[in-house]
Amino acid sequence: MAMDSADQVKAALDVADVVAEYLTLKPAGSGSFRACCPFHQEKTPSFYVNRPRQTWHCFGCNEGGDLISFVQRMEGLDFPEALQLLADKAGVKLPQFDARASSDKKRLHEVNDLAARFFHAQLLQAVVAAHAREYVKKRGLDDLTIDIWRLGYAPESWDALANALKAKDVTEDEMIRAGLVQKSDRGGVYDRFRNRLMFPIADVHGNIVGFTGRILADDKKEAKYVNTPETAVYKKSNVLYGLDKAKGHIKRQDMAVIVEGNMDVIGSHQFNFQNVVCSSGTALTIEQLGLLKRFTANLAIAFDADSAGNAATIRGLDLARGLDFNLRIISLPPEAGKDPDDAVRKDPGLWKQAIADALPVIDWLYRNSFRGHDASKPEGKKEIAKSLLAEFKHIADPVERDAWLNRLAKDLDVSTDSLREAMRGAANRDVGARHALPRATPASPLPQTATPAKTRLDETRERYWAILFLKPELEALAKSILDEYYQPVPSQDDLLNYIAVLADREFQDQSLETLRRELEQASRSLRDMRNTERRSQLEHQMREAERTGDQNRINDLLAQFNALKDNP
């Protein structure tokens, strides 16, 4: 794609507005904003957006660029894909390409969208879908909800979808690659989904990437749910059902509610709980958490009774805590029903209260550890203590840790000394691994390369350039101090963008006199470091001259060395 297309897109959009769709930006000087970086773990914001220069830079991981590179990093897209996404947002028409030459992913999105249209029309209109319409009515879904979520019906046929897609010029190979059909041993293909209520699955942008089909027949030989297999656009671990609709609400409320079933999401949204998504029956993965991290660091998770306490559930919690999410666990009261969909349809107030009453994760783990164990028997005490002590080890504050130890000692009717002894022993053994907190980093859509650590010389020079960038009139002062070591502000775009953000961050609100003193100090430091560097070079060269017996060379180098000593 021509670079003028990129320039058009960048002219039509503002980098701060684009970044603000992913991060909560706070003002940080004239035309600058800051936030915690989405590309590495940090608690003190070091990610800056500079509106005048339309750039961003993180001082923590040293990544930076323009709005297109930001979207590439955040969405895991290549340049053309990010440009197309932003062009759509800006209303900029990019040069058209033949459909056959378009990306494979884009074509699979189109094929899945055609399938979603077919399934939706079947649910609304087909005579054979009467029982499916009766089912959704029984589940309390109104027409608007059915339309918003594009629910559909897959007919009890081996080729209904395949024939409909062929009529739209979709090839059998494309259907197979989209996961919609399977190859037949007798040649040709047959529909993967038959006699099922269809839930289209969208990625974070709203592109249909796959489907979940729920069985409608009372046939125990059939799986209750069938999902699209992994394809070029659908990986179950990378998708959160409902995130395309919930992301704005999650950001505004600064919290995501995670449930386990598609109907839990749909029911919640129908009753105006619109920050709800689901992990489609899997434990939370690092990829899903990376998606959520764009919009919030606060999660409230509702588990079905069958899932609570299993190993996969605990691993998902540990991953989330390893990424510095604030976690709370939602428990439904007995009168609310078996899941959030039951609760919200019985009484939206029950679901609202359950979310408000969500427990911090350690409280939930404490309560959950007693399930299935008899706390009055030694073996039960041992198992409960084993799981909880592994958790207590990760509590940094000694007062809080002691409070939990005292509570556990009381509930198990044992001494705190015995618990401390057990915890010390656990520190030397691989116990409680299911609760160990991994130090994972937020999923980064593009590969990251190690950035060399900056030297003191690098950092001083950057500060000196930042002051000169803000106040060019101080250039004469820098020249008078640095003399031969004077370096003007660099003109390369990448480095200059970084210097501009640094200037805004460090010096924007300082007076001219303060900046003069800062520049004088930085210039003197630069001069001294360069002199030290030069002396070291001269010493090395003198040793080489001594080795070869070149006396004239030695005298010349010694004179240069003494000149540096006399003029520090």
Side-chain angles (χ1 to χ4, degrees):
M1 293 185 183
M3 282 308 295
D4 59 340
S5 297
D7 292 337
Q8 279 184 297
V9 168
K10 289 194 281 188
L13 295 171
D14 181 87
V15 65
D17 294 337
V18 171
V19 174
E21 293 181 15
Y22 300 88
L23 309 175
T24 301
L25 295 178
K26 295 183 178 178
S30 177
S32 286
F33 304 87
R34 66 179 178 180
C36 284
C37 180
F39 306 128
H40 78 285
Q41 292 186 60
E42 64 176 10
K43 294 184 178 177
T44 302
S46 61
F47 180 95
Y48 281 75
V49 177
N50 186 279
R51 180 169 268 158
R53 297 194 64 82
Q54 288 294 297
T55 58
W56 60 274
H57 187 88
C58 175
F59 292 89
C61 61
N62 208 30
E63 295 289 338
D66 60 14
L67 57 87
I68 299 175
S69 65
F70 177 80
V71 170
Q72 281 184 261
R73 288 294 308 269
M74 289 300 295
E75 302 291 355
L77 304 175
D78 58 24
F79 180 85
E81 290 172 329
L83 184 59
Q84 184 65 62
L85 177 66
L86 289 166
D88 292 343
K89 186 187 295 292
V92 172
K93 192 171 180 63
L94 296 179
Q96 292 298 306
F97 295 88
D98 183 74
R100 294 181 182 276
S102 64
S103 72
D104 181 55
K105 287 183 179 180
K106 184 176 179 182
R107 180 56 178 161
L108 293 184
H109 290 155
E110 292 169 352
V111 172
N112 278 316
D113 188 71
L114 289 171
R117 291 172 186 270
F118 170 78
F119 292 139
H120 188 59
Q122 291 292 303
L123 178 63
L124 297 184
Q125 301 164 9
V127 174
V128 294
H131 65 303
R133 289 190 289 273
E134 183 61 31
Y135 175 82
V136 295
K137 182 179 178 182
K138 183 180 175 183
R139 292 299 300 260
L141 301 178
D142 56 30
D143 292 344
L144 179 61
T145 299
I146 291 169
D147 283 343
I148 288 172
W149 294 90
R150 302 182 69 181
L151 300 184
Y153 172 68
E156 192 168 7
S157 163
W158 294 94
D159 57 8
L161 175 63
N163 289 337
L165 292 178
K166 284 176 185 176
K168 298 288 186 181
D169 297 325
V170 180
T171 66
E172 288 187 354
D173 179 64
E174 288 172 334
M175 296 181 214
I176 291 169
R177 288 190 292 115
L180 295 167
V181 300
Q182 294 174 276
K183 281 186 177 179
S184 170
D185 294 336
R186 293 171 291 185
V189 296
Y190 62 90
D191 292 356
R192 179 181 297 275
F193 302 100
R194 300 179 300 279
N195 193 25
R196 290 180 180 271
L197 182 67
M198 300 300 292
F199 298 83
I201 301 169
D203 65 16
V204 69
H205 308 300
N207 300 307
I208 305 301
V209 295
F211 295 88
T212 293
R214 189 196 189 284
I215 195 168
L216 291 170
D218 226 357
D219 186 350
K220 294 188 178 177
K221 294 179 184 178
E222 292 276 346
K224 185 175 180 181
Y225 293 99
V226 171
N227 291 311
T228 295
E230 291 217 343
T231 68
V233 295
Y234 176 68
K235 290 179 174 53
K236 195 173 183 179
S237 63
N238 290 1
V239 176
L240 286 158
Y241 184 72
L243 184 59
D244 59 312
K245 298 174 179 62
K247 59 187 178 183
H249 300 279
I250 290 171
K251 186 175 178 184
R252 282 190 289 275
Q253 297 179 49
D254 196 20
M255 184 176 75
V257 176
I258 317 294
V259 295
E260 293 205 314
N262 294 4
M263 286 299 296
D264 296 329
V265 174
I266 294 172
S268 295
H269 281 249
Q270 186 176 343
F271 286 88
N272 211 33
F273 296 90
Q274 293 177 286
N275 61 332
V276 179
V277 298
C278 87
S279 55
S280 299
T282 65
L284 285 168
T285 66
I286 195 165
E287 293 84 5
Q288 291 169 335
L289 290 165
L291 284 171
L292 289 167
K293 194 75 169 180
R294 302 176 192 174
F295 308 107
T296 187
N298 301 302
L299 304 181
I301 305 176
F303 293 122
D304 287 349
D306 293 341
S307 301
N310 70 33
T313 297
I314 301 300
R315 278 198 300 275
L317 293 179
D318 287 344
L319 277 176
R321 288 185 294 170
L323 292 172
D324 291 329
F325 279 97
N326 301 313
L327 286 183
R328 300 183 80 84
I329 308 299
I330 300 168
S331 298
L332 290 173
E335 67 272 17
K338 70 180 188 302
D339 56 36
D341 186 51
D342 278 354
V344 77
R345 294 186 187 284
K346 186 173 288 188
D347 178 359
L350 287 172
W351 183 220
K352 182 178 181 180
Q353 193 60 47
I355 296 171
D357 292 342
L359 292 172
V361 66
I362 191 168
D363 291 80
W364 180 82
L365 287 169
Y366 188 95
R367 187 179 295 181
N368 205 52
S369 292
F370 282 76
R371 292 179 58 196
H373 300 297
D374 187 344
S376 67
K377 295 182 177 178
E379 189 60 32
K381 295 176 192 285
K382 176 183 173 183
E383 290 303 314
I384 293 167
K386 182 178 176 181
S387 66
L388 285 173
L389 292 178
E391 180 62 32
F392 295 167
K393 283 192 304 179
H394 300 292
I395 299 174
D397 185 83
V399 176
E400 183 184 359
R401 187 169 57 246
D402 258 19
W404 282 108
L405 283 169
N406 289 332
R407 177 176 171 180
L408 182 59
K410 181 179 178 182
D411 290 343
L412 293 181
D413 194 22
V414 298
S415 71
T416 53
D417 287 343
S418 66
L419 293 178
R420 286 194 180 91
E421 184 180 349
M423 191 159 63
R424 282 194 295 272
N428 299 319
R429 300 191 307 272
D430 184 22
V431 297
R434 67 176 194 158
H435 290 232
L437 294 181
R439 295 313 304 166
T441 56
S444 196
L446 299 182
Q448 294 190 43
T449 56
T451 303
K454 289 185 180 179
T455 64
R456 179 166 166 257
L457 176 62
D458 294 331
E459 291 175 348
T460 305
R461 183 165 45 216
E462 286 169 359
R463 289 177 66 82
Y464 146 84
W465 278 334
I467 296 169
L468 287 181
F469 177 83
L470 272 182
K471 300 293 180 184
E473 61 266 33
L474 295 178
E475 183 181 48
L477 172 64
K479 283 182 175 179
S480 68
I481 297 172
L482 286 165
D483 194 18
E484 63 180 300
Y485 297 139
Y486 171 76
Q487 289 179 283
V489 177
S491 58
Q492 306 100 296
D493 278 349
D494 287 351
L495 186 52
L496 188 57
N497 287 335
Y498 167 75
I499 295 301
V501 176
L502 178 65
D504 233 10
R505 186 186 78 164
E506 296 291 329
F507 304 114
Q508 182 63 43
D509 299 324
Q510 296 190 18
S511 67
L512 180 61
E513 186 54 38
T514 300
L515 291 176
R516 185 187 299 276
R517 288 197 301 271
E518 286 274 359
L519 180 64
E520 186 173 349
Q521 181 180 346
S523 298
R524 292 187 189 283
S525 295
L526 276 177
R527 184 195 62 194
D528 292 346
M529 283 186 276
R530 292 302 301 273
N531 277 342
T532 300
E533 191 179 71
R534 180 65 181 140
R535 286 191 200 102
S536 178
Q537 292 170 352
L538 289 171
E539 286 175 348
H540 176 73
Q541 291 168 3
M542 281 191 285
R543 281 194 294 271
E544 285 295 306
E546 287 171 353
R547 189 175 59 81
T548 59
D550 188 342
Q551 190 59 47
N552 288 334
R553 175 74 169 150
I554 292 171
N555 292 338
D556 179 52
L557 293 170
L558 186 59
Q560 292 181 51
F561 185 86
N562 288 332
L564 285 175
K565 281 182 66 178
D566 295 338
N567 297 285

